Amino acid sequence: MFDVAVRVSDLVVERGPVAALADISVNIASGRITGLLGPSGSGKSTLMRAIVGVQVVTSGSVTVLGLPAGEAELRSRVGYVTQAPSVYRDLTVRENLSYFQTIVGADPSDVDRVLEAVDLASVHKRLVKTLSGGQESRVSLATALLGKPELLILDEPTVGLDPVLRRDLWGLFHSLADSGLSLLVSSHVMDEASRCHDLLLMREGRLLAHGTESELLTKTSAPDIESAFLSLVDGHAA
Amino acid sequence: MSIRRTMATARRVLTQLRHDPRTIALLLVVPAMLMTLLAWILDDANWQRYAPGLLGIFPMLVMFLVTSVATLRERTSGTLERLLSMPMSKADFVVGYALAFGILATIQGIIVGGLCFTLLGLSMQGPTSLVLMVAVLDGLLGTAMGLFVSAFAQTEFQAVQFMPVALLPQFLLCGLIVPTDQLPSVLKFISTLLPLTYAFEAMQKLARNATVSSGFWADVAILVAMAVALLAAGTATLRRRTV
């Protein structure tokens, strides 16, 4: 078996009267890409926030790289990209990355490395607000790559990107996983499932299934993940 | 807290401003313009009477607005959450902002003060350097208040409207309109709790006395203590974990 990067036990997050996460327990393998799939509102972002340690949780525990989530030491070991790009729109691409590079304590040359990695070297002097939405979200992604993160939590990083870029980014994710990083990547597009090593299917704050794509397809005898998802939902309802 | 991260934050805030020349112009020109207008509408006796106090009030007002909107933007854009999920202390963030806006308050003070003491013929008995110091301190107090208040605003629209709530009562009670010792006793007591009262009083002492009294330094000490307390309160409103 694989080493565990993230261990979630009996996690409950209540937001007002509704449970955003209802009793989730899961181990996320290290050195692999785990896809977190589910419709919008299924609790993907909340689970990711709990792993990063920025979410107030009601009960349960989350252990990340052997430490309680949110521990100070983890702040330089976990990279987090929110769904909405969180960068300074009134700074240039390079100014953003240079600032965050100082905060993370990475080497200044790291800025050029991550610019290349997300294919933004040609626009490094542009103000972020003049970029396209896809470029802006890649600035946000580049920020999380600064330094030496061991775990990357990426919330819908490929939304709105053209297919070529999407393929390139998944190529980047795989090369990062090959070098030993653990990645948790969320998506509401089921066809990204085939690009992940492991899959977590979520719906309405609950975990529907956890396994590799072929395991889930075999288990549900479905032709694709979308159908597998539906059959799991029907199974739960029954 | 780390000096490197604090300085990087101050530099980043100033870089953002550099990309926004219109805001810089407004910050630096508006107080000067208002003082010019005041000099124009008042006769010399009244100008000499009101100008020193206002010299302390304008920087606070402007810095309050800029800070509350800027930090609210950090909260709503997700950049604050990102920074706090990185190896960054809350103090790095707050002191970084205070430094950046402190520099701006200094430039603003030099411009407004320079204008008042030369072209507008304001004469104050105390040393000019102390006038500038009090003006910068007032600007920092505005920053501290803006930071604190931005925690209670959910939108920029609300943040702007906190300005009259937080500052206008202080403006009415600080002694500029009615001397504090002539206020009804309840209001007089309240005025002793408000930072602007000490800012106004410190400027008045510099205007009247050539020698710097211990009373002046007491006002300055209270101002510094209030600025530090408000910055600490502002820091406490930053949360690493949110719902």
Side-chain angles (χ1 to χ4, degrees):
Chain A
M1 266 319 278
F2 298 99
D3 286 342
V4 174
V6 180
R7 193 184 299 277
V8 179
S9 312
D10 309 316
L11 181 65
V12 177
V13 172
E14 280 164 359
R15 211 173 269 129
V18 285
L21 292 180
D23 198 20
I24 300 248
S25 293
V26 68
N27 290 340
I28 295 169
S30 95
R32 286 166 71 87
I33 304 178
T34 303
L36 182 55
L37 302 182
S40 106
S42 58
K44 302 188 298 289
S45 297
T46 309
L47 177 58
M48 293 185 135
R49 285 170 47 81
I51 293 170
V52 178
V54 296
Q55 175 69 47
V56 175
V57 305
T58 311
S59 63
S61 73
V62 182
T63 309
V64 178
L65 306 171
L67 295 164
E71 191 87 336
E73 195 201 310
L74 288 173
R75 286 181 203 134
S76 52
R77 295 172 66 192
V78 178
Y80 171 44
V81 183
T82 50
Q83 206 170 331
S86 45
V87 287
Y88 298 99
R89 303 191 77 231
D90 49 357
L91 291 181
T92 67
V93 175
R94 181 174 291 278
E95 285 165 351
N96 265 290
L97 292 173
S98 298
Y99 174 56
F100 288 116
Q101 162 259 316
T102 312
I103 300 303
V104 181
D107 194 76
S109 65
D110 221 29
V111 171
D112 288 304
R113 176 183 68 85
V114 298
L115 276 172
E116 289 293 336
V118 300
D119 194 23
L120 284 176
S122 58
V123 294
H124 73 99
K125 283 184 182 159
R126 297 244 314 258
L127 289 176
V128 171
K129 65 180 165 196
T130 67
L131 302 178
S132 72
Q135 288 172 318
E136 189 178 343
S137 60
R138 276 182 288 147
V139 180
S140 198
L141 173 63
T143 303
L145 300 178
L146 290 163
K148 290 192 181 65
E150 296 159 50
L151 170 67
L152 283 179
I153 309 286
L154 311 176
D155 202 349
E156 310 237 356
T158 58
V159 169
L161 296 185
D162 84 79
V164 178
L165 255 167
R166 218 148 68 115
R167 182 198 61 198
D168 291 352
L169 276 189
W170 278 104
L172 171 67
F173 299 161
H174 276 274
S175 68
L176 291 170
D178 291 343
S179 71
L181 261 82
S182 316
L183 290 94
L184 181 63
V185 184
S186 78
S187 178
H188 63 273
V189 196
M190 297 285 169
D191 64 5
E192 294 204 308
S194 56
R195 305 185 191 264
C196 305
H197 298 120
D198 292 315
L199 296 175
L200 291 173
L201 300 192
M202 284 187 76
R203 185 168 187 266
E204 292 178 344
R206 291 173 191 282
L207 199 60
L208 283 183
H210 181 197
T212 64
E213 185 184 31
S214 57
E215 280 167 10
L216 296 184
L217 294 180
T218 314
K219 188 178 161 196
T220 55
S221 23
D224 54 50
I225 284 295
E226 180 109 28
S227 323
F229 186 87
L230 288 172
S231 116
L232 285 162
V233 170
D234 292 342
H236 263 253
Chain B
M1 208 186 137
S2 118
I3 304 239
R4 188 167 45 89
R5 294 191 175 102
T6 306
M7 295 305 284
T9 302
R11 200 172 337 114
R12 186 262 299 171
V13 172
L14 290 173
T15 311
Q16 283 179 290
L17 279 169
R18 215 186 55 224
H19 287 298
D20 185 4
R22 194 175 301 182
T23 293
I24 299 186
L26 286 169
L27 276 173
L28 301 183
V29 171
V30 168
M33 199 188 73
L34 290 174
M35 290 308 277
T36 310
L37 194 59
L38 194 74
W40 197 3
I41 59 174
L42 294 178
D43 60 38
D44 191 59
N46 276 321
W47 163 246
Q48 301 295 347
R49 182 176 157 217
Y50 287 112
L54 289 168
L55 209 50
I57 291 170
F58 286 141
M60 193 182 281
L61 198 121
V62 175
M63 289 301 157
F64 177 92
L65 268 182
V66 179
T67 314
S68 57
V69 172
T71 49
L72 186 77
R73 232 193 254 175
E74 293 253 15
R75 288 175 204 266
T76 51
S77 69
T79 45
L80 177 63
E81 179 171 287
R82 161 165 258 160
L83 285 173
L84 292 181
S85 76
M86 286 178 162
M88 168 117 168
S89 80
K90 296 174 189 175
D92 292 335
F93 179 84
V94 170
V95 178
Y97 259 94
L99 262 179
F101 287 146
I103 291 171
L104 215 59
T106 308
I107 301 172
Q108 192 189 53
I110 292 173
I111 291 177
V112 183
L115 180 77
C116 288
F117 291 129
T118 56
L119 289 177
L120 303 181
L122 178 67
S123 62
M124 287 173 70
Q125 305 291 319
T128 313
S129 57
L130 290 184
V131 174
L132 182 66
M133 185 195 77
V134 174
V136 171
L137 206 52
D138 292 347
L140 277 175
L141 254 169
T143 291
M145 280 191 275
L147 188 78
F148 180 66
V149 160
S150 79
F152 304 100
Q154 266 129 31
T155 61
E156 289 182 22
F157 195 44
Q158 288 178 4
V160 171
Q161 297 190 80
F162 269 120
M163 198 269 285
V165 178
L167 291 187
L168 281 189
Q170 296 200 54
F171 183 80
L172 295 178
L173 296 177
C174 74
L176 179 75
I177 296 176
V178 176
T180 47
D181 52 12
Q182 290 170 28
L183 287 170
S185 54
V186 176
L187 294 181
K188 187 177 169 183
F189 171 71
I190 293 173
S191 78
T192 63
L193 305 175
L194 303 175
L196 198 52
T197 307
Y198 299 95
F200 176 78
E201 195 42 49
M203 282 296 193
Q204 287 305 104
K205 286 182 180 126
L206 287 174
R208 280 190 242 108
N209 313 319
T211 51
V212 181
S213 64
S214 59
F216 168 79
W217 289 113
D219 289 335
V220 169
I222 293 172
L223 278 178
V224 172
M226 283 178 159
V228 171
L230 276 165
L231 282 176
T235 310
T237 67
L238 306 176
R239 292 265 180 271
R240 285 194 201 267
R241 278 182 194 268
T242 51
V243 284

